[in-house]
Amino acid sequence: ALLEPAVAVSLPIAAYLLTLGLASPFAGRLATTLGEKQLLLAGFAIAAMSHLGMVFADGVWQITLLRGLTGVGYAVATVASLEYLIERQPNADRLRAMTTFVLIVIGGTFAGTALGGILADRLGYRPVFAISVVLVVVAAVLAWRMLSGRHERSAIDGGAFAWRDVGAVLRQPKQMALLTGVTVPMNVLLAAFLWYLVPLTLAAAGEGASAIGRTLMLYYLAVLVAGPVVARTGRTRVSVPMLVGLGALVSGLALLIPAAEVSILSVSVAVVIVGLGHAAIRGPQLSLAIELGEDMADSSGRGATLAAMRMLERLGSLVGLLAAALVAARADLATAMVALAIAASLAAVAYLGYALRAARRTEHA
């Protein structure tokens, strides 16, 4: 009886992550054939349909399937936006551009989380999804009017995604170090801690949707505040690998705070610290991933490599979420937080060690 509710709560998030991971690589191929603008509009259409379905959904499996459809729409829209930005942004300004992109996404999520929680408390969740449909349509109209059409893609992009590209990434130490040490743990903490454990903990403490929304909002606020500082740090030539490694370590250790004593205050503090740590990761690790993709341009192409990395990071976060759900069901929420903290911290330490060794080899070369 204990296992079923805990796992059921995780199913919509798991479906979202699964479709997000599987759709992202093929969205990259569509960006090449259709163009980024057309692909972005398609992503908006899928998202609008999924949100409209949520207005009428009344069961776990319906919600799970619709959240899976949302993952497809988000994957398509995100890939289209990133490809649009990459193709039109000089390499010298890429870190700043990636950080700015992340801050814009986080800003929208910040506002949506706060507003959604308040509206859900007062009106119920169905009107919230109805409003989201309207917002998606408005965004689609703006994209249709403001974005330029097709753009000649750089030669370095070469090649559409194929399943062999996943194997190629798995054989690359640099790519795997970034994925296993930083990117996957970051996404696991986002899905398993922020989206899953935090709402469950606050709900168990008797808090409503509005309070849960305000607490989640602290994460996005922390990323928004710290993001510009990270962008300036990156421009001063501070080692980007060390920056993302330290951010990953701080984020992992933060989960020990509520694990030691579960309370609204301890959870809120952990949420803020995780947000600060992720501010040091989000834009810089995206820039690092693009550079690594360009390093493999001769064998797979930048787009195909990035698509494979996106798939691996999303599937890794799915596994982490399900593992956290099982631990929470078999033990308790605090134990799940401890497990996440240990796993994320050890992965970050391993990545920092790899980055230090790589920097020393570069100095001696």
Side-chain angles (χ1 to χ4, degrees), residues 221-260:
L221 180 61
V223 176
L224 279 173
V225 171
V229 177
V230 172
R232 288 195 297 271
T233 302
R235 289 198 296 272
T236 59
R237 299 294 182 181
V238 171
S239 170
V240 176
M242 295 301 297
L243 180 65
V244 298
L246 290 173
L249 180 59
V250 168
S251 301
L253 292 175
L255 271 63
L256 294 175
I257 298 173

Side-chain angles (χ1 to χ4, degrees), residues 2-3 6-7 10 196 319-332 336:
L2 180 62
L3 176 61
V7 175
S10 70
Y196 177 67
V319 172
L321 168 67
L322 295 178
L326 289 175
V327 173
R330 295 291 177 87
D332 52 37

Side-chain angles (χ1 to χ4, degrees), residues 17-333:
L17 292 173
L18 178 62
T19 56
L20 192 65
L22 294 178
S24 293
F26 302 101
R29 177 183 297 180
L30 290 173
T32 304
T33 57
L34 298 178
E36 298 92 349
K37 180 178 178 179
Q38 289 75 12
L39 186 63
L40 181 60
L41 294 175
F44 282 139
I46 296 171
M49 287 189 296
S50 65
H51 289 184
L52 183 61
M54 286 292 294
V55 176
F56 305 100
D58 58 2
V60 172
W61 290 111
Q62 290 180 5
I63 294 173
T64 299
L65 290 173
L66 287 167
R67 291 307 291 169
L69 186 60
T70 304
V72 175
Y74 185 81
V76 168
T78 302
V79 170
S81 301
L82 284 174
E83 293 291 337
Y84 186 94
L85 180 63
I86 292 170
E87 288 298 323
R88 291 162 177 80
Q89 186 66 39
N91 289 353
D93 296 329
R94 184 166 289 163
L95 176 58
R96 182 176 61 181
M98 293 299 103
T99 303
T100 302
F101 174 80
V102 168
L103 289 178
I104 292 172
V105 173
I106 291 295
T109 311
F110 165 77
T113 301
L115 183 61
I118 294 172
L119 291 177
D121 244 3
R122 300 184 178 229
L123 304 177
Y125 77 89
R126 297 183 193 275
V128 175
F129 283 105
I131 293 171
S132 71
V133 173
V134 176
L135 294 176
V136 170
V137 172
V138 171
V141 172
L142 292 175
W144 175 65
R145 293 290 302 273
M146 298 176 66
L147 298 184
S148 61
R150 279 186 171 274
H151 184 271
E152 184 177 349
R153 302 179 71 82
S154 62
I156 199 172
D157 181 59
F161 170 79
W163 289 105
R164 64 176 179 273
D165 298 317
V166 175
V169 171
L170 291 173
R171 292 190 295 270
Q172 296 295 321
K174 290 183 179 179
Q175 279 83 345
M176 288 306 298
L178 181 64
L179 280 170
T180 58
V182 177
T183 308
V184 170
M186 180 190 74
N187 282 280
V188 169
L189 291 190
L190 186 62
F193 175 66
L194 192 70
W195 298 346
Y196 177 67
L197 291 175
V198 168
L200 281 181
T201 301
L202 296 180
E207 299 295 333
S210 181
I212 293 173
R214 287 194 300 269
T215 304
L216 297 178
M217 181 184 68
L218 294 174
Y219 169 87
Y220 302 106
L221 180 61
V223 176
L224 279 173
V225 171
V229 177
V230 172
R232 288 195 297 271
T233 302
R235 289 198 296 272
T236 59
R237 299 294 182 181
V238 171
S239 170
V240 176
M242 295 301 297
L243 180 65
V244 298
L246 290 173
L249 180 59
V250 168
S251 301
L253 292 175
L255 271 63
L256 294 175
I257 298 173
E261 182 182 355
V262 176
S263 67
I264 296 176
L265 178 60
S266 64
V267 170
S268 299
V269 171
V271 167
V272 171
I273 296 176
V274 169
L276 294 175
H278 285 186
I281 299 174
R282 284 182 169 271
Q285 68 90 22
L286 187 55
S287 179
L288 273 178
I290 293 171
E291 291 178 8
L292 293 174
E294 291 174 347
D295 289 342
M296 293 180 64
D298 292 337
S299 59
S300 301
R302 182 193 64 202
T305 301
L306 291 176
M309 293 180 70
R310 277 192 293 263
M311 174 180 283
L312 289 170
E313 77 176 60
R314 299 293 160 71
L315 294 181
S317 61
L318 170 62
V319 172
L321 168 67
L322 295 178
L326 289 175
V327 173
R330 295 291 177 87
D332 52 37
L333 300 177

